Amino acid sequence: MKDTYKQILMIDDDEDDFFLVNSLLQDVAPGQYHIEWASTYEKGLEAIEKKEHELYLVDYRLGKYTGLDILRHFKEMEYEAPVIMLTGKGDYAIDNEAMMAGASDYLVKGEITGPELERAIRYGIMEFAHLRAIAENRKKYFGIFEKSHDLIILADCNKNIIDANPIAEKKLQYSRDELLTMNLKHLFLQEVQALQFLLEICEDDAIVQKEYAFKNKHGQKLDVVVNASKLDEQLGTFLCVAEDITEKKREEQEKRQQEKFVVSGRIARVIAHEVRNPLTNILLAVGQFRQEDALKDVEDSQSYLDIIERNCTRINQLVTELLQSTRMMELHLHEVPVNQLVNKALALAEDRLQLNGIQLITRLGNHGVTVMADDEKMNIALLNILINAIEAMEPGKGVLTVSTEENGGKINIYITDNGAGIPEENKARLFDPFFTSKNKGTGLGLTSTQNIIINHRGSIDVDSTVGVGTQFIISLPKS
């Protein structure tokens, strides 16, 4: 049961005083406190070193020492605990000196009563626990505040800055004193953003993960993502935490630029490859056509003209495909049953399905659901996906599943195959112009498909597992 008591150490060279204090305390609060006695200054120090007690009762007079020496020892060993100083008579000077040295209370032995003693001990323990909790919280707060990699700024009810952490000083390039003379609005690069921010943080909802442009002391832009809210409703204080994403945005921009160069290079290589072959044929035909013997033979001349015409047509088709796959197109929209669109595309793919021995499973939903679509363009989009699915499956073992499903204000079209699947590294590039994993093909089919669906205010997603298969999900708004 001893562990349930509040452990108290009394340092006093008078055994009668210890007996009296112990009796008073047990009479008022039996079973709540356990007092140990240290009869000398030295024994008191030895007991303090163990740090086993929750409160210390210390007599002011301890032979050649005083209770103030005990308090100084606490400070030397950097040990914090509540100490109540006891003395034989009231003395304001001693009282004041003891409190200045760190005592939590001061009691006169001859005037002390049981309830007064118990209350002083109870309050001393409770106040110390409370102060220790505050100190720990403050330590945690300052640890986060001082060491955070984000800018942390506190402001008062007038949005004037009242505190800022070191990273805010570093990023904004202001000294602490300079920041404490500024208003939150001075942090923003654009006045419009500043006014909008100040209005929003006064509302009930906090600002969460919102991007703004700050400026440092020299007017240089800082891209930040801000979380801000009222810290204290009554005081009107505000907390603003801002993550500096300037470097991250710069890296993303560089990455996008690099990707553009890669795409541009890929486009140039494909165009060069696709155009060079027909151009070579045209040049050869022209060279032959210019020879005198060829001019005399009408049949040979016509053959060379045919070669020129065919290859010019091929180049024109390539250029047309490239333009159509990337530009905003003019649509001739009208209300079409979505299942009609699917069935029409499947009818055009029927020969390929039979030629490759592909099993077709259809699960078409509500036949009355319609979409606003250019059926000719949507037919191209769906057929591109169906052909890709057929070519991805092993002949004679493939299963193609096509289904439609109504989902709120949208209609989803699912085209699923049990083919080889798409490697993870290829998924992100699937709709890029001229990206293809096929030996033959321009890589414009899925680019054109995505463009058509986006122009219909729809979306296209891909779910694929290597060795299992691929599913394309087309989502279109219902008419």
Side-chain angles (χ1 to χ4, degrees):
M1 290 293 293
K2 185 177 178 181
D3 291 341
T4 63
Y5 297 147
K6 301 290 185 184
Q7 300 294 325
I8 298 171
L9 177 69
M10 182 170 178
I11 305 173
D12 196 317
D13 55 7
D14 190 327
E15 186 176 2
D16 291 340
D17 286 342
F18 166 69
F19 178 78
L20 179 62
V21 167
N22 191 32
S23 299
L24 287 172
L25 196 57
Q26 297 305 326
D27 288 343
V28 175
Q32 294 186 34
Y33 301 96
H34 179 263
I35 302 183
E36 293 183 11
W37 179 41
S39 58
T40 65
Y41 172 81
E42 290 77 15
K43 288 181 179 179
L45 296 188
E46 186 178 335
I48 291 170
E49 292 288 338
K50 296 178 182 178
K51 301 179 180 180
E52 295 177 344
H53 302 88
E54 296 179 58
L55 183 135
Y56 297 84
L57 296 170
V58 180
D59 189 16
Y60 182 75
R61 298 290 180 187
L62 294 168
K64 64 178 182 179
Y65 298 101
T66 70
L68 298 178
D69 295 314
I70 295 287
L71 291 173
R72 278 191 284 270
H73 185 71
F74 272 97
K75 288 186 177 180
E76 287 172 3
M77 62 183 292
E78 297 182 351
Y79 175 45
E80 294 183 355
V83 177
I84 296 177
M85 192 72 69
L86 302 174
T87 187
K89 61 179 181 178
D91 188 322
Y92 174 77
I94 295 176
D95 181 357
N96 186 60
E97 191 177 7
M99 301 302 284
M100 292 294 291
S104 61
D105 206 347
Y106 175 87
L107 296 174
V108 179
K109 290 181 182 178
E111 301 173 3
I112 195 171
T113 65
E116 183 182 11
L117 175 64
E118 193 278 333
R119 185 168 58 250
I121 291 173
R122 176 160 40 89
Y123 283 7
I125 293 173
M126 288 175 59
E127 183 182 22
F128 177 75
H130 179 64
L131 291 174
R132 184 165 56 184
I134 291 174
E136 288 176 357
N137 288 335
R138 183 176 294 175
K139 186 177 180 181
K140 290 177 183 177
Y141 163 74
F142 278 107
I144 295 170
F145 189 78
E146 296 290 324
K147 297 178 181 179
S148 174
H149 295 292
D150 295 333
L151 292 78
I152 302 178
I153 298 166
L154 299 176
D156 62 18
C157 58
N158 295 317
K159 321 300 186 303
N160 294 317
I161 297 173
I162 57 175
D163 206 351
N165 69 339
I167 200 70
E169 297 174 38
K170 180 181 177 181
K171 294 283 186 180
L172 297 170
Q173 297 181 12
Y174 288 103
S175 68
R176 178 179 173 78
D177 291 339
E178 287 174 323
L179 283 171
L180 297 185
T181 65
M182 296 168 60
N183 190 280
L184 282 177
K185 66 182 180 182
H186 297 142
L187 303 178
F188 289 82
L189 183 67
Q190 300 172 359
E191 187 177 351
V192 173
Q193 277 195 352
L195 294 174
Q196 181 187 10
F197 172 82
L198 294 177
L199 286 172
E200 288 183 3
I201 61 171
C202 291
E203 296 176 356
D204 293 334
D205 296 332
I207 294 175
V208 179
Q209 296 292 321
K210 196 160 185 180
E211 191 173 325
Y212 294 98
F214 278 9
K215 62 180 178 181
N216 64 18
K217 183 177 181 179
H218 307 291
Q220 296 168 323
K221 181 182 177 183
L222 287 177
D223 292 303
V224 292
V225 173
V226 174
N227 292 278
S229 60
K230 282 185 180 178
L231 196 61
D232 188 295
E233 192 69 34
Q234 292 182 338
L235 296 176
T237 51
F238 295 93
L239 173 67
C240 176
V241 181
E243 178 191 0
D244 182 8
I245 59 169
T246 307
E247 187 65 22
K248 188 186 297 183
K249 288 194 74 172
R250 186 189 64 78
E251 290 174 358
E252 288 175 355
Q253 187 175 5
E254 286 181 359
K255 186 178 178 182
R256 284 195 297 270
Q257 291 292 343
Q258 290 171 358
E259 288 172 351
K260 285 180 183 178
F261 284 125
V262 170
V263 172
S264 299
R266 191 159 62 240
I267 291 172
R269 287 192 299 273
V270 173
I271 291 177
H273 174 74
E274 293 293 330
V275 173
R276 186 175 289 145
N277 287 339
L279 277 177
T280 301
N281 293 335
I282 291 171
L283 290 171
L284 288 172
V286 170
Q288 292 294 324
F289 190 70
R290 282 179 172 173
Q291 294 179 10
E292 286 188 19
D293 294 340
L295 292 172
K296 296 174 184 178
D297 192 331
V298 176
E299 186 176 342
D300 286 348
S301 300
Q302 187 60 47
S303 297
Y304 295 138
L305 289 172
D306 290 342
I307 291 171
I308 293 170
E309 184 179 11
R310 282 198 305 272
N311 285 278
C312 285
T313 302
R314 172 65 189 130
I315 293 172
N316 185 55
Q317 286 175 341
L318 177 67
V319 173
T320 301
E321 284 181 22
L322 176 60
L323 291 174
Q324 288 183 345
S325 67
T326 55
R327 73 183 179 190
M328 294 299 289
M329 58 186 64
E330 183 181 351
L331 301 177
H332 302 286
L333 299 174
H334 61 280
E335 197 169 352
V336 189
V338 70
N339 291 345
Q340 179 180 310
L341 291 173
V342 173
N343 285 324
K344 187 176 179 181
L346 285 172
L348 291 170
E350 187 175 356
D351 290 343
R352 288 176 182 263
L353 289 167
Q354 291 179 357
L355 184 64
N356 288 275
I358 304 297
Q359 180 187 354
L360 175 64
I361 300 173
T362 57
R363 299 191 183 99
L364 305 185
N366 186 349
H367 291 274
V369 178
T370 60
V371 293
M372 295 300 294
D374 183 322
D375 53 355
E376 182 182 341
K377 299 291 193 306
M378 279 302 302
N379 192 52
I380 293 170
L382 293 172
L383 191 58
N384 280 338
I385 298 174
L386 291 171
I387 291 171
N388 274 357
I390 292 167
E391 292 178 349
M393 294 183 283
E394 187 177 348
K397 296 183 180 180
V399 178
L400 179 66
T401 305
V402 181
S403 59
T404 59
E405 176 190 58
E406 189 177 351
N407 184 11
K410 294 185 178 294
I411 182 75
N412 294 334
I413 304 170
Y414 303 93
I415 299 174
T416 311
D417 66 62
N418 64 340
I422 303 169
E424 194 66 35
E425 63 270 17
N426 289 349
K427 284 183 185 177
R429 301 171 57 195
L430 204 57
F431 299 102
D432 287 356
F434 299 106
F435 173 75
T436 179
S437 57
K438 301 175 185 178
N439 293 328
K440 294 182 180 180
T442 61
L444 293 172
L446 286 179
T447 306
S448 179
T449 295
Q450 185 187 50
N451 193 32
I452 290 169
I453 291 167
I454 289 173
N455 275 271
H456 280 81
R457 296 185 297 114
S459 63
I460 179 168
D461 295 299
V462 183
D463 185 16
S464 185
T465 304
V466 174
V468 177
T470 301
Q471 182 180 69
F472 281 84
I473 306 105
I474 299 169
S475 182
L476 297 168
K478 289 197 302 184
S479 58

